[in-house]
């Protein structure tokens, strides 16, 4: 069976990039964790994590987000016997359970849900589930990686997560 597929314009396309941000009021820490893609298609944390104090300056938030996205690697080695959880290792949490309880996790990635216009800037999707593994709430925002829009969306989603958790 043949499918009628439209050719998508490559104008304005951006390569996929992703990172996680972990924020903890309790530990006054924010972690910017770049990802890499392993040859088996899995995305794994990279060791070049950016650590900052929380709350941080608004402009530093935007700068660190951009830097973490820039550190995304297309191909990284994958060793299933030697997986390291870099964000946990650099956090101030004592156990993995306390890490998940004390830190709010936000995922940022290049938006690939719709075609880009010829002069459109890269869109970044910010998403979070405030109470994992409970998926009652799922928060998502999307904007262009210009000025400080992504930093503002990140703060808005973080604030909503704090409200939902309390």
């Amino acid at each position: 069976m043949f499918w009628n597929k439209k050719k998508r314009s490559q104008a304005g396309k951006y390569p996929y990039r992703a990172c996680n941000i972990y924020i903890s009021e309790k530990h006054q820490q924010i972690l910017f964790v770049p990802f890499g893609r392993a040859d088996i298609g899995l995305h794994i944390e990279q060791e070049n994590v950016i650590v900052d104090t929380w709350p941080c300056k608004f402009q530093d938030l935007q700068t660190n987000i951009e830097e973490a996205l820039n550190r995304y690697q297309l191909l990284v080695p994958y060793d299933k016997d030697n997986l390291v959880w870099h964000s946990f290792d650099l956090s101030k949490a004592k156990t993995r359970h306390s890490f998940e309880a004390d830190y709010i996790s936000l995922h940022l990635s290049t938006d690939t849900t719709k075609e880009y216009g010829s002069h459109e800037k890269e869109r970044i999707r910010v998403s979070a589930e405030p109470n994992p593994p409970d998926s009652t709430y799922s928060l998502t925002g999307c904007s262009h990686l210009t000025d400080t829009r992504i930093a503002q969306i990140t703060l808005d989603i973080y604030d909503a997560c704090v409200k939902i958790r309390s």
Side-chain angles (χ1 to χ4, degrees):
M1 180 177 268
F2 295 99
W3 296 97
N4 184 9
K5 289 173 65 174
K6 286 184 181 178
K7 274 195 165 183
R8 289 190 169 199
S9 167
Q10 295 300 312
K13 281 280 196 178
Y14 291 91
Y16 182 83
R17 306 185 295 166
C19 71
N20 272 359
I21 297 175
Y22 297 97
I23 304 172
S24 174
E25 287 277 337
K26 178 179 178 180
H27 300 295
Q28 298 179 335
Q29 187 179 44
I30 181 169
L31 306 167
F32 300 86
V33 185
F35 279 178
R37 184 180 172 138
D39 56 353
I40 61 170
L42 215 220
H43 281 88
I44 55 178
E45 289 186 354
Q46 296 302 294
E47 62 185 316
N48 51 355
V49 176
I50 301 167
V51 180
D52 204 349
T53 57
W54 182 256
C56 64
K57 293 180 183 173
F58 187 75
Q59 187 57 46
D60 291 347
L61 179 62
Q62 180 74 21
T63 302
N64 287 334
I65 288 171
E66 290 179 25
E67 180 59 30
L69 288 169
N70 288 337
R71 291 181 181 186
Y72 177 84
Q73 295 180 11
L74 286 176
L75 190 58
V76 295
Y78 174 73
D79 180 5
K80 69 178 179 178
D81 298 324
N82 191 23
L83 288 178
V84 180
W85 192 5
H86 300 289
S87 54
F88 171 71
D89 293 342
L90 292 170
S91 74
K92 295 179 182 176
K94 303 287 185 223
T95 65
R96 291 176 185 236
H97 178 72
S98 69
F99 178 81
E100 291 171 352
D102 296 343
Y103 287 80
I104 291 177
S105 172
L106 296 105
H107 180 73
L108 286 77
S109 62
T110 303
D111 181 32
T112 58
T113 58
K114 62 181 180 177
E115 192 173 342
Y116 281 83
S118 60
H119 297 298
E120 190 175 9
K121 301 293 181 197
E122 182 180 19
R123 291 185 309 266
I124 301 296
R125 179 172 297 282
V126 182
S127 59
E129 288 185 2
N131 293 319
D134 176 15
S135 59
T136 304
Y137 297 100
S138 181
L139 308 170
T140 304
C142 187
S143 187
H144 295 99
L145 189 61
T146 57
D147 303 320
T148 56
R149 290 182 185 163
I150 295 302
Q152 187 60 56
I153 289 173
T154 301
L155 285 176
D156 292 345
I157 290 177
Y158 169 75
D159 290 341
C161 288
V162 169
K163 288 178 184 175
I164 290 169
R165 280 188 170 196
S166 55

